[in-house]
């Protein structure tokens, strides 16, 4: 049985000329409260505060970062309970054993790094999974989960999360958020995020029904274009009133292109009737992204954009297990041309904050940093999803800050649905910031007091400024 | 005259906190047998086992890695004997002198690194080329080449090559391979690789003749589409029966798109008659790539794919010296959309292993690693050709393993026609693996026992598993 | 008040195993004369040798590297005097104060690095801007500027600039250059560069007038195509006679495609009449780029090409402040296909030197290095503009030299209009070369004598060879 160790210097540069500086910088921010302005935690979990059922349901089943690697190693997703609720104990234990047996498959990935941190720091695990009895490990974690100290709200407090944004459907009544906001026992600010993708893409199956539901939620008639726009404006207001600070957009591309109101109305009617062409549907979506930017200028919701992902690449898996099951695959991204009409109109508007995320690292130096280095509205979003890992983050830090400076970064966002991974993810980001800044100090490009001021800004001030907290 | 030195720590990270770990990891795999699942060595050379004629014929004339750099420095290819057989001694010496005089042109390239290793380790050269008398150096090597210990099979043994795949024409009778397999004095397993490109691209000059030859080799009538498909299936069977483990594909793009059988038959007939349009020829090729994947599911040949190269960029050089003369130039690659139809059909088929190579490093993190991190059939091919160099390999290691883990890598392939460079290339890969893993240990992301297990897997188990040895 | 420090080891690798080697390499080239074969210094400034008016006019107003970052931080360009001449002292001081207050916005950027070097080394500033009294700092610099030792020619001498190329309009009479060449007090060679973009792009507003002016300057009738071509040839001769060594091209793409002379003449006439289509205008431009290459083979002007920038991305800023005001944004670049027709014709012509610059780092390894590693005419241009920063330069060094070797690099070019930044920029490049080469020595890939020879070549011989000085 091998020991699971978490070295206090983990992820800091090994070079003896750099590591001591990195340690000092990291120490300065290690215990700061967590600000999480974008993620996928379920607010009902925090409202209900029910105990987590078992280790498989907590760490494996719902986390496509974990299940995709197991799938790549030949484990069918149904053996992992993907898409199912809590499993009977027998099956949950099987999932856990499979996971432990595949622990080496995660070597070198941040997923293993985060899981090791969670197991060690939050659950007191001291054995490396896969090297002892997986059932004993299961029992150890399951016992913890039965304690009050491991219920969601207790963990939220222990994790030091001060601000947490979830991701929500525009037609959602936000009841869970209302309950959390009204509960004096909840110290953290937990807010929704307006995620309108499905309502902006007429080509998606079920879009006419979706916009009808939207109209019902907004109390407007979405049978015509003006009512549709009004419904979106109304739901944004509703979200803002419930604490939302941002609207999140993940379309196939970043394009924002205007249509005339008449043309938009015509295509909208055609789409409702199921008669819009594919090109018209795309044109309307791009027009609506521009409309979203206009609304952001007015209502102040920060606009986050993350294009360039081929969703549900494997149809059989999508049919069997639904979306977000590990086979969304990036494609080349483009921002410079795609965003020009939007930035022409709103790029210097004081109401707009536009945060650009990508899973195509080629655009960081080529497009995102130059845009963020000119437009006061544009911020370079932290490396995200497939790029939320040490090498990609280091490449991002170097590429973007040399072109745009630190003041144009979004600050870290964890983008996770794995609640227990939040502290490990933010801690990783702080360590990498410390290491990067220590390198600049060791190369005499910054004085240490400047590096210290910078890392404090990155962890606390910058996300508060960018996301208008 | 400067000394040619090979430091035992070469390519290992200089950082004192990392190098000792890297040394230990490297030591563990330094002397392991070489597995070379993809390359371009001529099997007849090993069958005939004739002495190499001279240093120019061995190191320079046939190796476009070497001649392209000399060409870039103004040396015409005819002065280097490119495309010619063994040269008269006078000319061979001239080629050698030219090469020695340009030794500094190779500084910083892996070509110099490999050549230095070959000269020093295999030929006992201790002077840096270009700093002493090139004729004396020529004589030194020529004397070695006349010895039995320097004939191909003796080198094969000395190099520790256990498995060697060549690259072969589907119409080849594989006589050289049969002879080698039948010879009890040959310990290494030397197998052919099925490389059908020319038979799958109706747009190539001479394609109708090529498919006729293919039909003759297969004993089927390729005058119609069904016979053409049958001929390919038959030749794959023949290759597999002669030990082949893989089929290799290097088209302009990675696309695989189905046609109906009727449409395929129609376009095939038109192409044979010289009447297919360019678009039809491309469509048929993409359809046939999908067919190749289907056949791989059935016959188990590993499918390797390496698109994205503009072949024979300089027509005058192509006319004078033929293909593979140093002016194949990469273009942007795309896998996510291109491979979707193939992966929809066969991505989870247990018979398919699909190894993706690229010379566009932008796709490693963006497409290859995410695909290999979900599909059990997909492996990330080692950096290859222009990218088979330390910086590109390090970038690959970081980008791909953080997304897909070590278990989704192909293991190293040398892809070389320079027989004597094989040990140096594999040794370089082992040093870089050791250095990369040592970095993870020094950053406390892996324990050293995990790093050791990982490097042993990368060198031995992983290629055996991926290529089904 | 914090101290502004310039550590003698700045930018050298911190690793104790590498830094001493880097120091020795850097020392060997630190004081070598500066060769600046591409930049944007105004020759009239050197001809007139008038004192610089004030710190804002010298460091801020004309430098879009500086003003774009301030703009991104919410400072309107009119508050910075962009596009204005020298400001009244009250406004110049305001600009300076704004700049000092935003000093932290430049942390981590090379702009801050260069400015710190200039302030410290050239102006004796020892306080970090923004931490003391900005007006006292303004006074300190203004006093220096009033001294003879700070006039342009004195600085030119002090900076050790031996060769300086400016960038000039083909219709320019080059009077400033003639005056400088005739002045025996000017030791440096100051030459023009032929920059014909505006004359080669029929789609630009005002193109018919431009070619008329060109004809007037050349003494030919540009009312027809043959006269237009003759005018360009004549103006190139004129530039060469005034010392020009290169012609510089910055179109939207790198494409060079032939038209027949008849077709070119037809489209030229249509364009003059304002009747060419957008596609025709693009085709004529691409044809003319090919013509430029043909002329370079004849007259020997080095051809530099830097495509892939979306110019004047923010129309409102362009209207108010003109071009080159910080919102030129890169897009994806492509060279392999775009340059094929040009390289087919002239790629091995002894008269052609073609230097490829990019702001899309993805093409360095993929296209530029492979092209430069085969064609004797092609050189990989140093990282430029957004990429002229330490991380991008290090990535370039590794990616390009491993594929093409050091002998295929252009050597450093500063590309700047900020005269006082020239020594800091070249010094940065030398430090980064020293660091990169020291890394190769520490990894035992080069011996130190080879590294020394290489860095001396990069700083002095290589630019002289590439730019035919």
């Amino acid at each position: 049985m091998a020991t699971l160790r978490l070295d206090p210097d983990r992820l800091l540069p090994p070079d003896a000329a750099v590591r001591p500086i990195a340690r000092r910088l990291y120490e300065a921010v290690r215990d700061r409260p967590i600000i999480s302005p974008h993620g996928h935690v379920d607010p009902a979990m925090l409202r209900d505060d029910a105990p987590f059922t078992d280790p498989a349901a907590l760490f494996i089943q719902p986390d496509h970062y974990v299940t995709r690697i197991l799938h790549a190693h030949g484990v069918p997703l149904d053996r992992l309970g993907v898409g199912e609720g809590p499993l009977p104990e027998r099956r949950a234990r099987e999932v856990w054993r499979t996971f432990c047996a595949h622990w080496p498959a995660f070597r070198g990935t941040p997923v293993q790094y985060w899981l090791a941190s969670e197991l060690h720091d939050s659950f007191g695990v001291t054995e490396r999974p896969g090297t002892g009895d997986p059932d004993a490990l299961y029992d150890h974690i399951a016992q913890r989960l039965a304690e009050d100290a491991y219920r969601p709200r207790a963990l939220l407090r222990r994790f030091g999360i001060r601000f947490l944004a979830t991701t929500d459907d525009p037609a959602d009544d936000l009841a869970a958020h209302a309950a959390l906001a009204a509960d004096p026992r909840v110290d953290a600010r937990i807010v929704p995020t307006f995620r309108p993708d499905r309502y902006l893409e007429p080509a998606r199956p079920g879009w006419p029904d979706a916009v009808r539901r939207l109209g019902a939620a907004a109390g407007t008639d979405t049978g015509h274009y003006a009512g549709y726009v009004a419904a979106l404006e109304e739901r944004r207001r509703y979200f803002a009133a419930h604490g939302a600070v941002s609207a999140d957009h993940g379309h196939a591309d970043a394009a924002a292109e205007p249509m005339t109101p008449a043309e938009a109305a015509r295509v909208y009617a055609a789409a409702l009737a199921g008669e819009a062409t594919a090109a018209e549907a795309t044109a309307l979506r791009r027009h609506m992204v521009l409309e979203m930017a206009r609304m952001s200028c007015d209502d102040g919701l920060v606009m986050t954009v993350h294009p360039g992902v081929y969703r549900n690449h494997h149809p059989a898996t999508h049919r069997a297990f639904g979306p977000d099951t590990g086979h969304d695959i990036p494609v080349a991204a483009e921002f410079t041309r795609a965003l020009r009409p939007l930035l022409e109109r709103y790029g210097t508007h004081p109401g707009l904050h536009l945060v650009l995320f990508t899973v195509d690292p080629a655009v960081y130096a080529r497009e995102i940093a130059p845009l963020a280095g000119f437009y006061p509205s544009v911020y370079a979003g932290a490396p995200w999803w497939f790029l939320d890992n040490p090498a990609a983050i280091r490449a991002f830090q170097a590429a973007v800050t040399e072109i745009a400076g630190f003041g144009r970064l979004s600050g870290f966002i964890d983008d996770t649905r794995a609640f227990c991974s939040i502290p490990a993810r933010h801690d990783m980001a702080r360590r990498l910031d410390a290491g990067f800044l220590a390198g600049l100090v060791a190369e005499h490009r910054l004085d240490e007091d400047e590096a210290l001021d910078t890392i404090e800004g990155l962890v606390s001030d910058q996300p508060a400024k960018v996301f208008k907290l």
Side-chain angles (χ1 to χ4, degrees), chain A residues 28 68 75 195 228 271 279 284 294 314 342 369 383 393:
Chain A
R68 69 177 180 86
V75 183
R195 175 75 181 260
Y228 166 65
L284 184 58
R294 176 186 63 75
H314 192 238
L342 190 162
I393 290 173

Side-chain angles (χ1 to χ4, degrees), chain A residues 433-463:
Chain A
D433 281 341
F436 177 66
L437 286 159
L440 296 183
V441 173
E443 287 190 358
H444 307 290
R445 295 166 63 187
L446 284 185
D447 287 338
E448 191 165 330
D449 71 296
E450 296 177 294
L452 191 63
D453 181 64
T454 302
I455 197 168
E456 290 173 346
L458 285 173
V459 169
S460 306
D461 308 341
Q462 194 68 8

Side-chain angles (χ1 to χ4, degrees), chain A residues 9 11-26 394 431-444 448:
Chain A
D9 283 336
L11 283 182
L12 302 185
D15 186 337
V18 187
R19 187 168 276 187
I21 308 168
R23 272 186 198 137
R24 291 191 292 271
L25 296 174
Y26 171 64
R394 287 169 178 150
R431 290 173 179 275
L432 293 170
D433 281 341
F436 177 66
L437 286 159
L440 296 183
V441 173
E443 287 190 358
H444 307 290
E448 191 165 330

Side-chain angles (χ1 to χ4, degrees), chain A residues 124 159 258 277 280 296 345 406 428 431:
Chain A
F159 293 165
T277 65
E280 286 174 335
S296 273
R345 283 161 181 76
F406 291 95
M428 184 174 102
R431 290 173 179 275

Side-chain angles (χ1 to χ4, degrees), chain A residues 1-353:
Chain A
M1 193 174 88
T3 304
L4 184 71
R5 265 189 294 264
L6 287 192
D7 193 279
D9 283 336
R10 62 194 183 276
L11 283 182
L12 302 185
D15 186 337
V18 187
R19 187 168 276 187
I21 308 168
R23 272 186 198 137
R24 291 191 292 271
L25 296 174
Y26 171 64
E27 281 302 317
V29 295
R30 190 183 60 184
D31 297 323
R32 292 210 163 196
I34 287 175
I35 298 173
S36 174
H38 180 74
H40 295 269
V41 168
D42 178 3
M45 178 196 81
L46 291 164
R47 180 195 55 197
D48 301 345
D49 200 33
F52 295 105
T53 55
D54 64 75
L58 183 58
F59 292 118
I60 303 163
Q61 275 178 276
D63 189 351
H64 60 73
Y65 285 67
V66 175
T67 56
R68 69 177 180 86
I69 297 283
L70 295 171
H71 183 263
H73 281 265
V75 183
L77 295 184
D78 53 8
R79 260 188 61 201
L80 298 169
V82 170
E84 303 185 57
L87 303 173
E89 185 179 332
R90 189 189 51 77
R91 283 195 61 208
R93 282 185 183 274
E94 273 178 24
V95 170
W96 181 255
R97 279 184 219 118
T98 299
F99 164 72
C100 288
H102 284 85
W103 184 254
F106 295 92
R107 282 180 193 158
T109 67
V111 178
Q112 184 174 84
Y113 181 90
W114 297 324
L115 287 167
S117 299
E118 296 167 54
L119 291 172
H120 187 280
D121 279 2
S122 301
F123 290 87
V125 172
T126 56
E127 81 176 59
R128 189 196 296 163
T131 66
D133 175 6
D135 280 288
L137 197 50
Y138 183 99
D139 292 336
H140 172 94
I141 299 166
Q143 278 160 27
R144 295 290 86 71
L145 293 178
E147 298 169 15
D148 280 351
Y150 287 84
R151 286 163 69 169
R153 291 190 183 182
L155 290 174
L156 186 75
R157 258 189 307 276
R158 191 173 358 143
F159 293 165
I161 298 174
R162 176 171 293 174
F163 180 91
L164 181 73
T166 64
T167 295
D168 305 271
D169 190 291
D172 194 295
D173 65 5
L174 303 180
H177 285 93
L180 285 163
D183 191 329
R185 293 164 305 174
V186 178
D187 295 326
R189 197 173 143 201
I190 299 164
V191 306
T193 298
F194 189 78
R195 175 75 181 260
D197 290 5
R198 73 172 58 178
Y199 302 100
L200 306 183
E201 300 187 356
R204 284 210 203 192
W207 177 79
D209 280 347
V211 297
R212 254 187 293 277
R213 277 201 315 280
L214 185 77
T220 70
D221 174 8
T222 54
H224 52 85
Y225 174 69
Y228 166 65
V229 171
L232 286 162
E233 288 173 335
E234 169 52 29
R235 294 311 294 169
R236 291 174 66 107
R237 264 194 297 276
Y238 186 85
F239 269 61
H242 283 74
V245 298
S246 72
D248 184 47
H249 303 268
H251 305 293
D253 59 56
E257 291 274 0
M259 294 173 114
T260 62
E263 179 68 358
R266 187 190 67 74
V267 172
Y268 182 80
L272 267 193
E275 291 164 1
T277 65
E280 286 174 335
T282 298
L284 184 58
R285 184 255 290 168
R286 291 174 177 169
H287 169 73
M288 289 311 298
V289 170
L290 195 63
E291 282 290 281
M292 291 291 112
R294 176 186 63 75
M295 294 179 199
S296 273
C297 292
D298 292 343
D299 62 26
L301 290 183
V302 175
M303 186 173 192
T304 60
V305 173
H306 45 86
V309 178
Y310 195 113
R311 302 278 174 179
N312 306 312
H313 194 266
H314 192 238
T317 299
H318 185 223
R319 281 192 300 272
F321 302 100
D324 300 323
T325 45
H327 48 106
D328 292 347
I329 309 290
V331 295
E334 204 282 331
F335 290 93
T336 301
R337 291 191 178 98
L339 289 175
R340 219 204 53 79
L342 190 162
L343 292 170
E344 173 176 6
R345 283 161 181 76
Y346 311 119
T348 57
H349 192 290
L352 184 66
H353 283 194

